[in-house]
Amino acid sequence: MKTLIVEDNKIVTLGIRKTLESEFPSISIDTAENGQEALDILNNLNQTELPFFILLDINMPIMNGIEFLKRIKKASILSTIPVIIHTTSSNVEDFNECNSLGISGYFLKLIDYKQNKKNLLLIANYWMASF
């Protein structure tokens, strides 16, 4: 199964990748550093190659997570991919806007590595069990 991590911080991306690959050796992970790069990746995949979920940061350069979310929710084939927000933003307005766009979850990035890892595994276990 495939997932897409959209995150501009390479250290955070590396930590997510390490966490997911250690628990799910068969997982295939694509990464993008901003929403535009993520759209380019998704638009070059056929329907059978689409990720089973997207882990999305909000605060990124070029195209932020909310703009990316708006764009994929307008694209019929991409609109059904579950998107889980993984961000430092505890802003209620960000949460409400993401929620109105049909996200499948909203998780804060935590400073505590063990708790952050626990949240990532919770997300992945849920979606892996759904397929």
Side-chain angles (χ1 to χ4, degrees), residues 20 24 27 52-53 119-129:
L20 296 179
F24 307 101
I27 197 168
F52 64 98
F53 75 87
N119 284 349
L120 290 169
L121 292 176
L122 177 72
I123 293 165
N125 276 311
Y126 175 83
W127 289 108
M128 293 290 275

Side-chain angles (χ1 to χ4, degrees), residues 24-42:
F24 307 101
S26 64
I27 197 168
S28 171
I29 299 173
D30 286 331
T31 61
E33 293 185 10
N34 61 66
Q36 184 58 58
E37 189 177 329
L39 279 176
D40 293 343
I41 289 169
L42 292 170

